[in-house]
């Protein structure tokens, strides 16, 4: 790992030939939105897609930044939450974008968390057979994960993210000061994805997080530390490298699913509700993946405990009994794992690890052993 960053502004390049783009990370970047858009697409109009919460906190700053640089803009505000990743809202946003006369050469600005990024990105992929878009992620999860890599989607009645497209943004602007208004629980859930990059492939970053996580959490705009910017930049660099190697997830990109096979089953068991946020499910899922890896003899139990201890230290759930409201019996959890969309011909793909920073894709995991392991974990309730 490179030395901790001292700079307050960091750029990470996503290398995808003609579709390459920058992720710019720093405090107060929303103020530069108009200038950056004006440089990338001179004369373009913009439509900002956002949700009601983010509109309250950050829309006027984004609009002022555009106006200041002479970029004409419209706004499309959708209701808060996952339910906006629906056909109905997708249709409404598409029609609003067309009504705003956004044409090829103009662009959409996705201002919000992963819900807005996924929805507005999918709209951008479809309207007029594809217009450019800029991601302005305002949650930690969106800054380190969903805004990078070009996956866009809405949900089907059959499952999450089943209708979508690969459509890369032309710029990602991660304003770390925007996270100052994010509820603490959302910040913590997003941190699970930061820890994921360390756990899957960067042991030195994991040690750094163990020592510096308090500054990452505390590092708002009043902070003198750039720990938050550093953690976001290292995370984006890790995702950018994996995406550059495997844009369409035919191989390595599956590593990003560390903790997600178990995690999705837990999320589904909780009905994708407030009971368990995605990042919380991923934290519990990573703790399970490490414990299962240790049980399979892939690493010492102490190594798995180290991974779990850090997640627990920041306040993320790591044990099944940490999940409020109880879980269904093991057979039902196994069914939910089998329904995961990462299942190839009936065999779920698990991301296991040989230690902190050493994850790998395991396609030959014996279901009976997973069932036995989960039964034990459920009995610990
Ligand atoms: N495309 C990808 O690669 C990818 C990767 C991971 C997750 N996702 C998707 O991301 C979504 C989850 O994203 P999320 O966790 O950001 O959820 P979200 O977009 O719903 O945001 C979480 C909550 O925080 C609020 N919020 C956002 N920014 C805020 C701010 N700065 N201040 C105050 N409140 C703010 C939102 O209104 C919402 O209530 C899921 O739909 C998931 O499928 C996509
Ligand atoms: Zn995730």
């Amino acid at each position: 790992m490179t030395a901790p960053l001292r700079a307050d502004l960091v750029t990470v390049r996503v290398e995808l030939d003609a579709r390459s783009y920058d992720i710019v990370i720093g405090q107060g970047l929303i103020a530069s939105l108009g200038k950056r858009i004006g440089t990338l697409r001179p004369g373009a109009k913009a439509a900002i897609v956002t949700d009601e919460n983010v509109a309250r906190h950050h829309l006027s700053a984004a609009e002022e930044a555009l106006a200041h640089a002479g970029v004409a803009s419209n706004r499309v505000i959708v209701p808060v939450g996952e339910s906006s990743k629906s056909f109905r809202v997708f249709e409404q946003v598409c029609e609003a974008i067309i009504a705003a006369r956004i044409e090829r050469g103009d662009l959409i600005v996705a201002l919000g968390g992963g819900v807005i990024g996924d929805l507005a990105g999918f709209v951008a992929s479809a309207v007029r057979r594809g217009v450019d878009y800029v991601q302005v992620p305002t949650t930690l999860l969106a800054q380190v994960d969903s805004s990078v890599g070009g996956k866009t989607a809405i949900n089907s009645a059959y499952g999450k993210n089943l209708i979508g497209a690969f459509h890369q943004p032309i710029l990602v602007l991660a304003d770390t000061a925007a996270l100052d208004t994010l509820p603490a629980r959302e910040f913590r859930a997003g941190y699970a994805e930061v820890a994921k990059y360390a756990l899957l492939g960067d042991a030195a970053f994991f040690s750094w997080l163990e020592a510096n996580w308090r500054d990452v959490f505390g590092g708002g705009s009043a902070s003198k530390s750039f720990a938050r910017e550093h953690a976001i930049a290292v995370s984006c660099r890790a995702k950018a490298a994996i995406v550059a190697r495997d844009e369409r997830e035919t191989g390595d990109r599956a590593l990003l699913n560390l903790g997600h096979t178990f995690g999705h089953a837990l999320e589904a068991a909780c009905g994708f509700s407030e009971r368990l946020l995605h990042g919380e499910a991923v934290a519990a899922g990573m703790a399970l993946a490490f414990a299962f890896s240790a049980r399979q003899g892939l690493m010492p139990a102490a190594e798995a405990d180290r991974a779990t201890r850090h997640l627990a230290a920041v306040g993320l759930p790591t044990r099944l009994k940490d999940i409020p409201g109880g879980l269904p019996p093991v057979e039902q959890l196994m069914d939910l794992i089998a329904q995961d969309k990462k299942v190839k011909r009936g065999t779920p793909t698990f991301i296991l690890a040989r230690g902190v920073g050493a994850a790998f894709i395991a396609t030959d995991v014996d279901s009976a052993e997973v069932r036995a392991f989960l039964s034990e974990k459920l009995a610990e309730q």
Side-chain angles (χ1 to χ4, degrees):
M1 195 192 66
T2 47
L5 303 163
R6 298 278 165 228
D8 57 351
L9 189 75
V10 194
T11 300
V12 175
R13 183 87 178 154
V14 185
E15 293 289 354
L16 290 167
D17 301 322
R19 284 165 292 111
S20 299
Y21 55 95
D22 285 340
I23 307 163
V24 192
I25 300 149
Q27 292 179 9
L29 282 177
I30 287 179
S32 71
L33 179 63
K35 214 175 104 214
R36 289 172 192 277
I37 285 179
T39 306
L40 278 171
R41 294 288 184 274
K45 293 195 293 293
I48 303 176
V49 180
T50 192
D51 75 22
E52 285 155 357
N53 279 340
V54 181
R56 202 163 58 245
H57 295 295
H58 304 291
L59 180 57
S60 57
E63 287 179 334
E64 275 163 33
L66 292 176
H68 194 70
V71 178
S73 75
N74 285 82
R75 48 160 77 178
V76 184
I77 302 175
V78 305
V80 168
E82 188 69 28
S83 57
S84 279
K85 281 173 60 174
S86 66
F87 272 116
R88 198 173 53 82
V89 178
F90 172 75
E91 178 185 351
Q92 287 166 353
V93 177
C94 284
E95 297 293 12
I97 296 290
I98 294 163
R101 296 178 197 274
I102 295 296
E103 297 174 0
R104 296 196 83 163
D106 296 327
L107 33 86
I108 292 174
V109 175
L111 175 69
V115 164
I116 290 301
D118 279 13
L119 170 70
F122 186 43
V123 168
S125 79
V127 165
R128 297 183 188 276
R129 298 197 183 87
V131 296
D132 289 334
Y133 75 116
V134 172
Q135 290 271 16
V136 186
T138 62
T139 64
L140 181 56
L141 180 135
Q143 295 194 350
V144 299
D145 189 358
S146 59
S147 70
V148 177
K151 277 193 188 179
T152 73
I154 58 172
N155 301 327
S156 146
Y158 293 93
K160 267 177 59 109
N161 298 326
L162 292 179
I163 304 136
F166 284 95
H167 188 50
Q168 300 291 345
I170 61 165
L171 171 70
V172 179
L173 207 60
D175 184 341
T176 53
L179 303 180
D180 287 351
T181 57
L182 192 65
R185 187 181 173 196
E186 294 287 352
F187 189 94
R188 197 183 305 120
Y191 183 85
E193 305 281 2
V194 173
K196 178 185 79 176
Y197 296 111
L199 287 171
L200 78 83
D202 193 338
F205 184 38
F206 191 76
S207 301
W208 185 88
L209 288 174
E210 285 178 316
N212 295 286
W213 67 269
R214 283 182 187 80
D215 288 338
V216 176
F217 277 72
S221 51
S223 162
K224 294 205 169 47
S225 150
F226 295 123
R228 182 180 287 180
E229 287 69 26
H230 178 68
I232 293 170
V234 174
S235 300
C236 287
R237 216 177 278 146
K239 180 152 187 189
I242 290 176
V243 168
R245 286 205 299 274
D246 179 19
E247 186 181 7
R248 289 182 175 252
E249 194 165 338
T250 51
D252 259 13
R253 193 163 173 169
L255 286 173
L256 297 173
N257 293 322
L258 175 63
H260 283 62
T261 305
F262 287 120
H264 282 154
L266 298 173
E267 257 186 302
C270 294
F272 294 99
S273 68
E274 287 291 299
R275 249 172 78 198
L276 189 66
L277 300 180
H278 174 75
E280 294 168 345
V282 169
M286 291 192 293
L288 289 171
F290 269 71
F292 183 71
S293 298
R295 195 181 194 265
Q296 298 291 99
L298 291 164
M299 69 171 94
E303 182 83 350
D305 289 346
R306 181 185 169 204
T308 303
R309 219 168 28 247
H310 177 58
L311 297 169
V314 309
L316 285 162
T318 54
R319 300 168 302 185
L320 295 183
K321 67 178 171 201
D322 295 335
I323 298 167
L327 288 169
V330 72
E331 287 312 320
Q332 218 167 310
L333 285 180
M334 291 303 294
D335 282 349
L336 291 168
I337 286 174
Q339 281 161 26
D340 197 88
K341 73 170 186 294
K342 300 294 177 323
V343 173
K344 283 204 186 90
R345 278 177 249 102
T347 322
T349 299
F350 284 89
I351 310 304
L352 301 182
R354 297 193 174 86
V356 166
F360 66 97
I361 302 165
T363 48
D364 56 352
V365 174
D366 184 350
S367 295
E369 294 193 20
V370 177
R371 182 182 292 113
F373 167 74
L374 282 178
S375 298
E376 278 169 30
K377 292 286 159 193
L378 283 165
E380 284 171 13
Q381 297 267 24

